[in-house]
Every structure is written in structure tokens, then in C-alpha cells.
Amino acid sequence: MAAQKSKSAITVKGSAEIVVEYLDFGINSILFQRGLYPPEDFKTVENYGLPIYMSQNNKIKEFLSSTFCQLKEWLVKRLVDKIALIVTSVKTREVMERWDFNVQYEGDIDNPNQTSDKPLKQIQNEIRDVLKQIASSVAYLPLLDCLCSFDIQIYTKNDIELPPEWGDAQPADIKNAQFVRLRSFSTNIHKMETVVTYKSED
Amino acid sequence: MSQFRFANEMNSLLTLDGPLTKGPVPRWQKKGAENSSIVNCSLNSSKQKSISSLNASTKTPSKCGDGDVLRIKKTPAKTPKAGRSGSPTPNKASKTPGGGDRFIPSRSATNFELGNFKLFQTSETESLSPTNEIQRAMYENLHGGDINNQRILSYQNKAPAAPEGFQNPMRVIYTQTRTPASSKSNNRYIPQAPDRILDAPDIIDDYYLNLVDWNASNMLAVALGPSIYLWNAGTGKIHQLLEMTGNDYVCSVAWIQEGDHLAVGTCTGTVELWDCSQIKRLRIMDGHSARVGSLAWNSYILSSGCRSGQIIHHDVRQRDHNVLTVGNHTQEICGLKWSTDGKYLASGGNDNVLNIWSTAGGNRYSQPQPLYTLTAHQAAVKALAWCPWQPHILASGGGTADRHIRFWNCQTGVCVNSIDTKSQVCSLLWSSNYKEIASGHGFANNQVIIWKYPSMVKAAELTGHTARVLHLAISPDGSTILSAGADETLRLWKCFVKNPVKSKEGVQAKVKTSLLKQSIR
């Protein structure tokens, strides 16, 4: 019985991995769906039963992987409050759009050996639903009609050691903003909530 | 009693000329009353002024000396200034009594500096600090917790932005709307359904090729994959002209202006010349290193545009056919057209550049350097058409990222007009029958639009193709256009059929108006 339970259990580390994997697919999907980069730079990857467009640009891949590597560590230590994808106009430096991925810690927060027995299949179904919503967000989000770049900001607790090559960032808020809350998913350790904030047209 | 009152009222109503006893005071009376009171007021003020000139009430604008003189012209005797005593003109003044239901503030009495200071002081103190407070409170409510307990971190080696000049491909989806047809009434009937639909199996869905041409003897040449078919539009007979071997395919076809000679550009870089009356190949001309996607005739000169960006002018009469090679494009040439008078050559490429070349010294081929290099388009320039009745006007259309039709004056190199069509422009055709221009489009409606020129009002939208309209051709009589779609159909639209009665009337009417104009001027 105990052996079986440990087989399907998700550790904190495993949960962080699931979250980061979701962020990787989610952010790549946003970069494609919002037309930030030429569609030729993307390749489809089948995951969660969905074709997902992943960037093949080496610099973007490198940026994402090093960000996520650090993020995973902080997620395990429960230091992260929020991950934000900021889309800014290259010309005016104006924030055009932001995607907030809010992290909540569930269950026995103080226990580092916490496990969750939520079936992986169920979590993946939840993630799939969020990714579907991201893909369909094109229907209501305004067109990003200028050259845009993106950045990832991680909102952490105050008592954190700053690793090399990381720095403090300015909060990027949008004037006259509107936001849409997408579905959330949970591993019973990390709960991820996705919110997109965009500039209202008028 | 009541009936008497009624009778009185009736009487007063019926006597139209008599003075009004009921209802509001007439306007002229009100005006008179107002003016008299204002005159009094100003008189009073001038009196007051003589008593105490430092009174600060702003209601009486006649405080400063000069204004005073102008205002109180009516009573010149009361002005205290002696210098002006000789000048007043009482006759004029009497016409404008008092001067005013207008409030004229006295500038000397106003303290501008203080006012300015007050205005700005209030705005700063009132607006700035509270909004900061509100922002903070809102932020805390929204994001949970104090900002000060949080750090925002980001990796310093940022991801690069998209390459310069990149345009959001989602643009097409966002702005695709079926614009309503023009409200301007159309005085001719344009059939919305195709006159005929022909099958075109294996037509290559490639934006950069030119696979359809219709000649003066009513012969239509269509390249379908490796073969070329000739369709006689008069009799409906079909011949196969050629079939290429292996994986080779035809990239472009072009009829000579007069006669039965067809030029064929192939994917191997050769240009073949065929005599279609005898179904016989006359010669093969080489010189290109890649496929030949566009061809254009100017009398005995055949110009061919290649994927490498080079244009070769072939003199088909000579043994050494290559008279000149010119290159100003960095990518594949997909549009190539000689103007109707043979003086200009337009070439459009996948490098978003449109070049205009001119001829010189009686040559039929162009000069080695372009006359104009036009970079207004944001995407590949395939659709090119020269105006038949204004030989220096060129229409050009851009691809998916551009979607504009632009009109150029090739004598000056100026873009005279441009219009956003909301869809990829694959081909353009002028109709001299009606002074209109037809454009073939891609996503999302795959339609052919007929525009009036030069107003660019939509005359009709012909829908029916289920994939983009790659090529357009016009019949020799100018009545029918043929659209070749990527859905493997050719559709014939009878949209420019001349109405003989109407066209005569039109001519007569024109003459009349011009005469009228002459007589007026």
C-alpha cells in the first residue's frame, strides 16, 4: 500500500518541475500567439494532447532555460509569489501587455518533504485547459501593432539571495488596464493562477 | 363670462396686424430693454469712475483710460480726458448704443501672475499625492501584501526582440473585416456569380509564379504543374502544349503582344519560346541560375525575372539573345511588366522592392540602372499593372504583411494614391472599358474586388474561390476576367461587358457638360 502511494506521489521538487514545464509551454505559446516573433521561428511540439508552438531561436531558448532553472530552485524553497511576463514596445518602452502567473503554496507549507497524491493525468488535463485558453486569447486581446520585446520578472520574498546575473526590476504596470483571469491549476503543492492584463483600447 | 373671454381671445388671434397682447415678449422689445439697461450701467460706471477710479469691481469693464474713451463715445462730454475731445464722432456712436452684451475683461486690472500661480498650486497639491496613495492601496489590494516585502527580480541577459522590420503576423486576423460595399449607387449590373468555372488540377499554389496569360487571338495559356494547356476561349477547345519531364515544372507563361508565340519560364532557369499555331518549340534561351518566375514582352525583347533577383533582356531575333543582364533585387522577382507604351519596365521582388526601369536611345530594353527604386511596400510585390489610358501610371500590390495597392506616377516617381485592401494582393488588372481596376486577394475572403479609379470606391466584390486568387487575366475584348485560384479552379467573370447604348449616351453627356462649362467660364 505504502509503496503504491509513493509511486504516484508528487514531491515538492516534482511539483516545481510541473509548474516550470507549464510556464515553458505557456510562455512559448504566448510568444507565438501574440505574434511577438516571426512564426517561422517556431516549431510545434505535441504535449498534453495539444500541439504547442515552441521557439527555436537559440537566444530565446537560452534566456528561458536559465530563467526557469533559477525559478525552479526558488519554487522548491517557496520564495516565489508571482512570475510575470512583460511585453513592452521596443520603440516607446511602454508596457503593452503583461501575463501574471500567481503562485500559491498549498497544504503543509512548512514541510520540505511534502507530497501530493493528485493524479498526474488530472493535473495535465487542468494545464491543457489553461493552455487552450491562452491560445484562444487572441480573440479578445488587442493587436500588438508594434515591434515588441518581452521580459520575465519574478516576484519573490524579500529575504532572498541575489544570484549573479540577476537584478532588481522596476514594476511594469499598464495604464488604463483591463484584465482577464484564466483558469488555474493545482498540484496540491503549487497552485498556479494565470491572469492577462492588457491596455484598454480607448 | 367664459364665452365672452373666448370671443375676445378669438378676436385678438384673428387680428394679425394688431399689437400682441399675449405670449412672450417679442425679441426686439427684449433687446431694446437690455440695451437701455446696459447703457445706463456704463453711464453709471463712468460716473463712478469720476468719483473713485480705484474701484476694483470687474463688472464694469470700462476701467482703463483708453477703453473708456472708446466706450463712452456716446456721451463725449463726460470723458475726462481732454486730448480726445476733438475726435469723437457722435453719429457713428449713436448707432451702436452701449456696445455691449459682451463682457470684456480689463487686462490691466487682472493679476495674471497670481492667477497662474493659484491654478498650478491647486492642481499639484490636490491631484498628485492622493493618486499615489490610491495607487499604493490598489496595488496592495490587487497583488496581496505590501510592496516593500517583495522583490521583483529578472534575469539580466534579456531575450532579443524580433528582427527589425518584422510585423505582427496576427495583423491580418485582427483587421480582416468585410467592408460594406460602397453606398454610391452603381449604375451598372455586375454579376456576382462566375460565368463559367474551369478545372485547373495541379495548379501550383505559389505566390511567386505567373501561370496564366490570355492573348489577343483569344487563346488562354495555363500552366498546371509540369504541363501547359491552351484553351481557346472562342471555341472551347483544349490542347496540351507541352509536358516537362521529371520533377520539372513551368514557372511562368507570357504571350507575345501580337501573334501566337508563347514564352515559357521553367524551374531549371531556361526560357523557352513556343509557336502555338504549330505546337512547336522554336528555341531555348538560357542564362539564369534559378527558376524564372516572371516574363514580360516588349516587342521583340523578352525580359525574364529570376529567383536570383536578376533580369535578363533577351532579343529573340538574335543568336546571342542576351542583350543585357540587370540586377537590383536581392530576392526572387515575382512581378514583371512592361508599360503599354514600352517605355518603362516595372519589377517587383520578394525583397519588398519595386523598381522602375526606363528605356533609352530607342532601345527596347531597359537601362542598366533603375530609374526609381521604391520601397514603400512592406511585403513581396507581385501584383503589377500599368494603366492602359495613362501610360505612366503603375498600380502595384503588396503581399500579406502589406496589403496595400499603390499607384505610382513614373514620370516623377511619386506614390499618387494608396489604399489598404485588408488582404494580400495577388494580382491586379485594369479595365479600360469602365476605368476600373480589379484586384485578386488571398485570406480571408479570397475575393476579386473591382474598384473605381481613381476614387477607389468598391464597385463589386466577387467571392467564390475557396483559396487565394493567384492570377488574373483579361479577355482581348476586355469584357471578361479570368481568376485562377489556389483551389484549382479557373473562374470567368463577365464583369466588364460594355453596354453599347449606355456608352454612347455617356459620350454625348460628356460633350454637353464640357460645352456648358466652357460657356460658364
Side-chain angles (χ1 to χ4, degrees):
Chain A
M1 207 38 205
Q4 252 190 349
K5 197 181 174 187
S6 67
K7 209 176 171 186
S8 67
I10 299 168
T11 59
V12 180
K13 210 176 161 191
S15 168
E17 241 157 53
I18 292 172
V19 167
V20 166
E21 196 186 38
Y22 156 71
L23 284 174
D24 191 19
F25 290 130
I27 286 172
N28 269 297
S29 182
I30 290 165
L31 295 184
F32 174 79
Q33 297 292 351
R34 304 297 293 130
L36 260 71
Y37 292 94
E40 307 88 84
D41 282 8
F42 290 84
K43 241 182 162 176
T44 48
V45 173
E46 188 86 11
N47 217 311
Y48 311 121
L50 281 178
I52 296 166
Y53 287 89
M54 302 295 283
S55 179
Q56 299 299 305
N57 185 320
N58 282 332
K59 289 215 171 119
I60 295 173
K61 272 162 86 176
E62 203 181 292
F63 171 76
L64 288 178
S65 68
S66 37
T67 305
F68 289 145
C69 192
Q70 183 61 53
L71 175 68
K72 209 183 289 176
E73 196 180 302
W74 285 335
L75 275 170
V76 172
K77 291 181 187 163
R78 298 193 174 90
L79 291 168
V80 180
D81 289 332
K82 178 159 83 172
I83 300 106
L85 173 73
I86 316 285
V87 179
T88 47
S89 161
V90 171
K91 246 190 206 152
T92 61
R93 309 303 307 161
E94 189 189 1
V95 183
M96 306 299 286
E97 192 172 293
R98 62 178 287 153
W99 293 76
D100 290 317
F101 303 95
N102 298 325
V103 184
Q104 282 164 29
Y105 301 96
E106 293 187 321
D108 189 5
I109 292 174
D110 299 321
N111 180 10
N113 298 322
Q114 178 195 10
T115 55
S116 150
D117 42 6
K118 190 168 178 175
L120 190 64
K121 193 82 199 157
Q122 198 184 333
I123 298 170
Q124 285 184 345
N125 281 347
E126 284 177 16
I127 292 177
R128 193 188 58 200
D129 291 347
V130 188
L131 287 171
K132 272 185 186 168
Q133 276 195 319
I134 289 175
S136 60
S137 65
V138 184
Y140 56 83
L141 292 175
L143 170 69
L144 298 170
D145 201 4
C146 55
L147 207 59
C148 288
S149 66
F150 78 99
D151 193 12
I152 294 175
Q153 296 183 345
I154 299 175
Y155 289 63
T156 61
K157 303 273 189 287
N158 214 6
D159 50 339
I160 196 164
E161 259 179 66
L162 201 65
E165 292 187 318
W166 284 74
D168 286 297
Q170 287 299 312
D173 291 322
I174 299 175
K175 275 181 197 164
N176 191 15
Q178 284 195 334
F179 68 93
V180 173
R181 212 173 281 275
L182 305 187
R183 282 165 191 263
S184 55
F185 76 90
S186 163
T187 62
N188 282 355
I189 297 172
H190 294 101
K191 184 171 185 230
M192 282 299 269
E193 186 196 43
T194 309
V195 181
V196 54
T197 313
Y198 58 97
K199 228 168 74 174
S200 165
E201 293 242 288
D202 32 53
Chain B
M1 282 303 283
S2 63
Q3 75 268 32
F4 281 115
R5 202 189 294 156
F6 179 68
N8 278 337
E9 274 179 16
M10 283 304 287
N11 274 335
S12 65
L13 277 175
L14 288 171
T15 52
L16 291 170
D17 289 336
L20 289 174
T21 50
K22 291 219 166 181
V25 190
R27 191 177 150 78
W28 60 271
Q29 274 183 2
K30 272 200 278 181
K31 273 273 180 189
E34 266 173 36
N35 279 343
S36 64
S37 71
I38 283 166
V39 168
N40 283 342
C41 179
S42 67
L43 285 177
N44 283 342
S45 73
S46 65
K47 265 181 200 163
Q48 274 176 1
K49 196 209 166 192
S50 63
I51 297 161
S52 66
S53 61
L54 284 170
N55 192 343
S57 85
T58 48
K59 230 193 174 178
T60 55
S62 50
K63 271 282 141 336
C64 64
D66 287 350
D68 210 355
V69 176
L70 292 172
R71 296 263 336 237
I72 310 175
K73 268 177 191 164
K74 202 189 176 187
T75 54
K78 280 197 174 150
T79 52
K81 286 209 173 172
R84 293 283 187 118
S85 62
S87 61
T89 51
N91 284 340
K92 265 189 192 169
S94 62
K95 272 182 192 167
T96 54
D101 41 359
R102 264 174 69 199
F103 168 64
I104 303 166
S106 151
R107 291 182 76 83
S108 65
T110 340
N111 195 339
F112 286 111
E113 283 173 23
L114 181 70
N116 187 40
F117 174 71
K118 285 273 186 195
L119 266 173
F120 279 87
Q121 191 192 30
T122 48
S123 69
E124 266 174 35
T125 48
E126 275 174 19
S127 65
L128 267 179
S129 56
T131 47
N132 276 352
E133 286 277 297
I134 290 167
Q135 268 182 353
R136 242 180 80 91
M138 291 256 291
Y139 192 90
E140 280 169 20
N141 280 336
L142 278 173
H143 301 287
D146 197 3
I147 319 174
N148 300 329
N149 283 337
Q150 231 177 21
R151 283 182 84 167
I152 309 173
L153 303 178
S154 68
Y155 190 56
Q156 294 300 299
N157 298 341
K158 306 287 186 211
E164 194 60 44
F166 164 72
Q167 260 194 335
N168 195 330
M170 297 295 149
R171 198 188 166 94
V172 182
I173 298 170
Y174 276 91
T175 46
Q176 182 53 237
T177 44
R178 188 185 280 260
T179 41
S182 76
S183 54
K184 207 175 166 184
S185 68
N186 227 348
N187 48 8
R188 76 187 167 96
Y189 169 69
I190 300 173
Q192 293 291 312
D195 183 49
R196 226 162 157 175
I197 301 178
L198 306 175
D199 254 356
D202 298 329
I203 192 163
I204 301 171
D205 180 12
D206 190 332
Y207 182 79
Y208 303 103
L209 307 182
N210 292 281
L211 302 176
V212 167
D213 202 14
W214 202 334
N215 80 347
S217 49
N218 219 3
M219 224 33 154
L220 181 77
V222 186
L224 303 176
S227 330
I228 293 180
Y229 290 91
L230 302 176
W231 181 65
N232 189 325
T235 61
K237 278 185 184 156
I238 300 172
H239 296 287
Q240 185 178 17
L241 180 68
L242 63 96
E243 184 167 8
M244 303 191 73
T245 52
N247 289 327
D248 292 355
Y249 56 92
V250 179
C251 297
S252 51
V253 292
W255 287 104
I256 195 165
Q257 278 128 329
E258 280 167 26
D260 279 334
H261 289 65
L262 181 73
V264 178
T266 67
C267 68
T268 54
T270 57
V271 178
E272 298 180 1
L273 205 58
W274 286 75
D275 182 349
C276 295
S277 55
Q278 298 169 38
I279 314 285
K280 188 180 158 195
R281 185 164 67 195
L282 299 176
R283 70 185 292 184
I284 302 176
M285 297 179 288
D286 52 9
H288 281 302
S289 54
R291 71 176 188 186
V292 180
S294 47
L295 292 167
W297 283 93
N298 184 19
S299 188
Y300 52 84
I301 292 288
L302 172 65
S303 306
S304 61
C306 175
R307 194 170 209 168
S308 64
Q310 277 186 329
I311 299 170
I312 295 183
H313 298 290
H314 309 270
D315 187 336
V316 294
R317 307 166 305 174
Q318 290 180 17
R319 184 181 155 83
D320 296 326
H321 58 84
N322 185 345
V323 283
L324 186 68
T325 304
V326 294
N328 202 43
H329 288 277
T330 54
Q331 288 182 44
E332 177 159 26
I333 295 171
C334 45
L336 197 66
K337 286 275 160 71
W338 276 99
S339 67
T340 39
D341 60 0
K343 282 185 183 156
Y344 298 104
L345 174 70
S347 67
N350 194 29
D351 51 358
N352 310 352
V353 173
L354 168 63
N355 280 319
I356 312 279
W357 312 77
S358 64
T359 56
N363 287 333
R364 296 278 184 174
Y365 52 90
S366 77
Q367 288 183 296
Q369 290 304 319
L371 181 63
Y372 298 110
T373 298
L374 308 164
T375 54
H377 283 289
Q378 303 290 315
V381 186
K382 183 202 172 188
L384 293 174
W386 289 92
C387 180
W389 60 91
Q390 285 175 298
H392 56 279
I393 293 287
L394 171 73
S396 65
T400 315
D402 182 58
R403 312 177 305 172
H404 279 76
I405 299 175
R406 292 180 186 277
F407 295 90
W408 307 91
N409 182 342
C410 290
Q411 283 169 344
T412 58
V414 169
C415 178
V416 287
N417 194 5
S418 76
I419 186 165
D420 186 358
T421 64
K422 315 278 186 208
S423 178
Q424 175 184 40
V425 184
C426 298
S427 43
L428 284 169
L429 257 188
W430 293 89
S431 160
S432 35
N433 284 5
Y434 285 98
K435 305 236 159 150
E436 286 171 343
I437 186 164
S439 56
H441 294 276
F443 184 82
N445 295 329
N446 308 313
Q447 77 278 47
V448 176
I449 303 179
I450 298 170
W451 312 81
K452 297 216 174 285
Y453 183 81
S455 66
M456 288 314 273
V457 172
K458 268 185 202 175
E461 253 183 274
L462 310 174
T463 50
H465 277 288
T466 54
R468 60 181 174 179
V469 178
L470 286 165
H471 317 286
L472 287 178
I474 193 158
S475 66
D477 64 350
S479 68
T480 311
I481 59 171
L482 172 125
S483 60
D487 55 354
E488 304 194 337
T489 61
L490 307 177
R491 287 166 201 246
L492 292 148
W493 313 83
K494 280 209 161 181
C495 45
F496 298 126
V497 181
K498 260 190 182 166
N499 184 339
V501 184
K502 228 172 195 178
S503 61
K504 254 186 195 171
E505 271 176 9
V507 170
Q508 277 175 354
K510 247 186 195 170
V511 172
K512 266 179 197 166
T513 50
S514 65
L515 278 175
L516 199 78
K517 264 185 192 169
Q518 277 179 351
S519 66
I520 287 170
R521 283 179 187 169

